[in-house]
mmCIF file of all heavy atoms in Angstrom:
data_model
loop_
_atom_site.group_PDB
_atom_site.id
_atom_site.type_symbol
_atom_site.label_atom_id
_atom_site.label_comp_id
_atom_site.label_asym_id
_atom_site.label_seq_id
_atom_site.Cartn_x
_atom_site.Cartn_y
_atom_site.Cartn_z
ATOM 1 N N GLU A 35 -2.186 19.178 20.998
ATOM 2 C CA GLU A 35 -2.896 18.513 22.121
ATOM 3 C C GLU A 35 -4.360 18.815 22.048
ATOM 4 O O GLU A 35 -4.830 19.959 21.929
ATOM 5 C CB GLU A 35 -2.311 19.059 23.414
ATOM 6 C CG GLU A 35 -2.896 18.368 24.629
ATOM 7 C CD GLU A 35 -2.431 18.946 25.942
ATOM 8 O OE1 GLU A 35 -1.954 20.114 25.967
ATOM 9 O OE2 GLU A 35 -2.488 18.246 26.979
ATOM 10 N N TYR A 38 -6.952 21.543 24.868
ATOM 11 C CA TYR A 38 -6.222 22.560 25.570
ATOM 12 C C TYR A 38 -5.688 23.657 24.668
ATOM 13 O O TYR A 38 -5.421 23.404 23.496
ATOM 14 C CB TYR A 38 -5.018 22.030 26.330
ATOM 15 C CG TYR A 38 -5.391 21.080 27.468
ATOM 16 C CD1 TYR A 38 -5.630 19.731 27.294
ATOM 17 C CD2 TYR A 38 -5.492 21.587 28.770
ATOM 18 C CE1 TYR A 38 -5.974 18.899 28.282
ATOM 19 C CE2 TYR A 38 -5.848 20.748 29.827
ATOM 20 C CZ TYR A 38 -6.112 19.408 29.603
ATOM 21 O OH TYR A 38 -6.455 18.575 30.623
ATOM 22 N N VAL A 39 -5.601 24.874 25.206
ATOM 23 C CA VAL A 39 -4.951 25.973 24.442
ATOM 24 C C VAL A 39 -3.836 26.559 25.356
ATOM 25 O O VAL A 39 -3.828 26.322 26.591
ATOM 26 C CB VAL A 39 -5.968 27.079 24.047
ATOM 27 C CG1 VAL A 39 -6.959 26.519 23.024
ATOM 28 C CG2 VAL A 39 -6.675 27.665 25.301
ATOM 29 N N LEU A 40 -2.983 27.307 24.754
ATOM 30 C CA LEU A 40 -1.874 28.001 25.461
ATOM 31 C C LEU A 40 -2.166 29.474 25.596
ATOM 32 O O LEU A 40 -2.638 30.083 24.613
ATOM 33 C CB LEU A 40 -0.552 27.763 24.821
ATOM 34 C CG LEU A 40 0.058 26.390 24.728
ATOM 35 C CD1 LEU A 40 1.415 26.431 24.080
ATOM 36 C CD2 LEU A 40 0.050 25.723 26.109
ATOM 37 N N ASP A 43 0.699 33.708 31.101
ATOM 38 C CA ASP A 43 0.271 33.815 32.489
ATOM 39 C C ASP A 43 -0.321 35.273 32.699
ATOM 40 O O ASP A 43 0.010 36.182 31.995
ATOM 41 C CB ASP A 43 1.428 33.600 33.437
ATOM 42 C CG ASP A 43 1.926 32.161 33.435
ATOM 43 O OD1 ASP A 43 1.132 31.258 33.091
ATOM 44 O OD2 ASP A 43 3.054 31.941 33.867
ATOM 45 N N GLU A 51 -9.988 32.915 29.567
ATOM 46 C CA GLU A 51 -10.998 32.115 30.258
ATOM 47 C C GLU A 51 -12.361 32.754 30.170
ATOM 48 O O GLU A 51 -13.380 32.100 29.861
ATOM 49 C CB GLU A 51 -10.574 32.008 31.744
ATOM 50 C CG GLU A 51 -9.463 30.999 31.973
ATOM 51 C CD GLU A 51 -9.103 30.954 33.470
ATOM 52 O OE1 GLU A 51 -8.791 32.000 34.053
ATOM 53 O OE2 GLU A 51 -9.189 29.821 34.045
ATOM 54 N N HIS A 68 -15.899 22.889 31.129
ATOM 55 C CA HIS A 68 -14.551 22.408 30.775
ATOM 56 C C HIS A 68 -13.528 23.521 30.872
ATOM 57 O O HIS A 68 -12.337 23.234 30.951
ATOM 58 C CB HIS A 68 -14.531 21.823 29.371
ATOM 59 C CG HIS A 68 -15.153 20.435 29.265
ATOM 60 N ND1 HIS A 68 -14.933 19.485 30.195
ATOM 61 C CD2 HIS A 68 -15.999 19.924 28.365
ATOM 62 C CE1 HIS A 68 -15.600 18.342 29.868
ATOM 63 N NE2 HIS A 68 -16.235 18.604 28.729
ATOM 64 N N VAL A 69 -13.928 24.778 30.800
ATOM 65 C CA VAL A 69 -12.992 25.904 30.660
ATOM 66 C C VAL A 69 -12.365 26.174 32.025
ATOM 67 O O VAL A 69 -12.996 26.692 32.950
ATOM 68 C CB VAL A 69 -13.642 27.139 30.120
ATOM 69 C CG1 VAL A 69 -12.636 28.262 29.986
ATOM 70 C CG2 VAL A 69 -14.309 26.828 28.815
ATOM 71 N N ARG A 70 -11.090 25.780 32.169
ATOM 72 C CA ARG A 70 -10.389 25.991 33.479
ATOM 73 C C ARG A 70 -8.884 25.843 33.238
ATOM 74 O O ARG A 70 -8.476 25.197 32.257
ATOM 75 C CB ARG A 70 -10.863 25.051 34.524
ATOM 76 C CG ARG A 70 -10.697 23.539 34.172
ATOM 77 C CD ARG A 70 -11.238 22.668 35.265
ATOM 78 N NE ARG A 70 -11.088 21.266 34.957
ATOM 79 C CZ ARG A 70 -11.919 20.504 34.253
ATOM 80 N NH1 ARG A 70 -13.063 21.114 33.777
ATOM 81 N NH2 ARG A 70 -11.698 19.272 34.030
ATOM 82 N N ARG A 71 -8.097 26.399 34.096
ATOM 83 C CA ARG A 71 -6.685 26.314 33.985
ATOM 84 C C ARG A 71 -6.238 24.877 34.382
ATOM 85 O O ARG A 71 -6.807 24.296 35.330
ATOM 86 C CB ARG A 71 -5.952 27.329 34.846
ATOM 87 C CG ARG A 71 -6.302 28.737 34.450
ATOM 88 C CD ARG A 71 -5.463 29.769 35.071
ATOM 89 N NE ARG A 71 -6.063 31.101 34.953
ATOM 90 C CZ ARG A 71 -5.448 32.249 35.220
ATOM 91 N NH1 ARG A 71 -4.176 32.250 35.628
ATOM 92 N NH2 ARG A 71 -6.062 33.390 35.081
ATOM 93 N N ALA A 72 -5.257 24.380 33.727
ATOM 94 C CA ALA A 72 -4.754 23.024 33.970
ATOM 95 C C ALA A 72 -3.547 23.115 34.888
ATOM 96 O O ALA A 72 -2.451 23.552 34.410
ATOM 97 C CB ALA A 72 -4.394 22.344 32.651
ATOM 98 N N SER A 73 -3.694 22.723 36.126
ATOM 99 C CA SER A 73 -2.555 22.674 37.077
ATOM 100 C C SER A 73 -1.605 23.875 36.955
ATOM 101 O O SER A 73 -0.483 23.742 36.520
ATOM 102 C CB SER A 73 -1.755 21.410 36.843
ATOM 103 O OG SER A 73 -2.593 20.273 36.964
ATOM 104 N N PRO A 74 -2.132 25.067 37.279
ATOM 105 C CA PRO A 74 -1.290 26.280 37.135
ATOM 106 C C PRO A 74 0.021 26.079 37.888
ATOM 107 O O PRO A 74 0.036 25.592 39.021
ATOM 108 C CB PRO A 74 -2.139 27.405 37.788
ATOM 109 C CG PRO A 74 -3.528 26.857 37.719
ATOM 110 C CD PRO A 74 -3.405 25.404 37.887
ATOM 111 N N GLN A 75 1.096 26.512 37.284
ATOM 112 C CA GLN A 75 2.407 26.438 37.946
ATOM 113 C C GLN A 75 3.289 27.605 37.349
ATOM 114 O O GLN A 75 3.108 28.008 36.241
ATOM 115 C CB GLN A 75 3.072 25.098 37.748
ATOM 116 C CG GLN A 75 3.337 24.777 36.260
ATOM 117 C CD GLN A 75 3.988 23.430 36.142
ATOM 118 O OE1 GLN A 75 4.145 22.671 37.085
ATOM 119 N NE2 GLN A 75 4.483 23.119 34.935
ATOM 120 N N THR A 76 4.187 28.034 38.206
ATOM 121 C CA THR A 76 5.071 29.108 37.773
ATOM 122 C C THR A 76 6.152 28.442 36.880
ATOM 123 O O THR A 76 6.773 27.430 37.247
ATOM 124 C CB THR A 76 5.760 29.763 38.939
ATOM 125 O OG1 THR A 76 4.757 30.313 39.781
ATOM 126 C CG2 THR A 76 6.712 30.877 38.491
ATOM 127 N N ASN A 77 6.350 29.006 35.700
ATOM 128 C CA ASN A 77 7.419 28.472 34.861
ATOM 129 C C ASN A 77 8.056 29.622 34.110
ATOM 130 O O ASN A 77 7.472 30.667 33.906
ATOM 131 C CB ASN A 77 6.855 27.422 33.835
ATOM 132 C CG ASN A 77 5.755 27.986 32.973
ATOM 133 O OD1 ASN A 77 6.046 28.849 32.104
ATOM 134 N ND2 ASN A 77 4.550 27.506 33.081
ATOM 135 N N ILE A 81 3.901 30.509 30.447
ATOM 136 C CA ILE A 81 2.785 29.968 29.688
ATOM 137 C C ILE A 81 1.868 29.148 30.572
ATOM 138 O O ILE A 81 2.374 28.381 31.458
ATOM 139 C CB ILE A 81 3.313 29.061 28.509
ATOM 140 C CG1 ILE A 81 4.061 29.924 27.518
ATOM 141 C CG2 ILE A 81 2.211 28.270 27.860
ATOM 142 C CD1 ILE A 81 3.229 30.956 26.839
ATOM 143 N N THR A 82 0.579 29.253 30.386
ATOM 144 C CA THR A 82 -0.428 28.453 31.082
ATOM 145 C C THR A 82 -1.263 27.669 30.060
ATOM 146 O O THR A 82 -1.650 28.185 29.024
ATOM 147 C CB THR A 82 -1.371 29.334 31.871
ATOM 148 O OG1 THR A 82 -0.606 29.954 32.942
ATOM 149 C CG2 THR A 82 -2.510 28.550 32.511
ATOM 150 N N ARG A 83 -1.545 26.396 30.368
ATOM 151 C CA ARG A 83 -2.507 25.603 29.549
ATOM 152 C C ARG A 83 -3.887 25.786 30.159
ATOM 153 O O ARG A 83 -4.052 25.734 31.355
ATOM 154 C CB ARG A 83 -2.138 24.125 29.624
ATOM 155 C CG ARG A 83 -0.898 23.769 28.823
ATOM 156 C CD ARG A 83 -0.398 22.379 29.207
ATOM 157 N NE ARG A 83 -1.312 21.321 28.890
ATOM 158 C CZ ARG A 83 -1.788 20.448 29.776
ATOM 159 N NH1 ARG A 83 -1.486 20.567 31.047
ATOM 160 N NH2 ARG A 83 -2.610 19.491 29.424
ATOM 161 N N ILE A 84 -4.855 26.085 29.291
ATOM 162 C CA ILE A 84 -6.243 26.209 29.693
ATOM 163 C C ILE A 84 -7.057 25.121 28.961
ATOM 164 O O ILE A 84 -7.033 24.979 27.754
ATOM 165 C CB ILE A 84 -6.790 27.552 29.377
ATOM 166 C CG1 ILE A 84 -6.115 28.637 30.231
ATOM 167 C CG2 ILE A 84 -8.319 27.619 29.578
ATOM 168 C CD1 ILE A 84 -6.591 30.045 30.003
ATOM 169 N N GLN A 85 -7.727 24.304 29.784
ATOM 170 C CA GLN A 85 -8.596 23.296 29.195
ATOM 171 C C GLN A 85 -9.890 23.899 28.674
ATOM 172 O O GLN A 85 -10.567 24.695 29.418
ATOM 173 C CB GLN A 85 -8.940 22.244 30.239
ATOM 174 C CG GLN A 85 -9.759 21.075 29.678
ATOM 175 C CD GLN A 85 -10.019 19.971 30.663
ATOM 176 O OE1 GLN A 85 -9.399 19.944 31.741
ATOM 177 N NE2 GLN A 85 -10.897 19.031 30.317
ATOM 178 N N SER A 236 4.077 23.483 25.012
ATOM 179 C CA SER A 236 4.004 23.975 26.400
ATOM 180 C C SER A 236 5.214 23.588 27.237
ATOM 181 O O SER A 236 5.483 24.186 28.243
ATOM 182 C CB SER A 236 2.721 23.450 27.087
ATOM 183 O OG SER A 236 2.670 22.047 27.027
#
Side-chain angles (χ1 to χ4, degrees):
E35 183 185 21
Y38 292 86
V39 295
L40 295 185
D43 291 337
E51 286 180 302
H68 283 317
V69 182
R70 58 183 181 273
R71 300 190 196 194
S73 304
Q75 60 180 11
T76 301
N77 60 67
I81 293 298
T82 293
R83 289 164 63 238
I84 293 183
Q85 184 175 350
S236 56

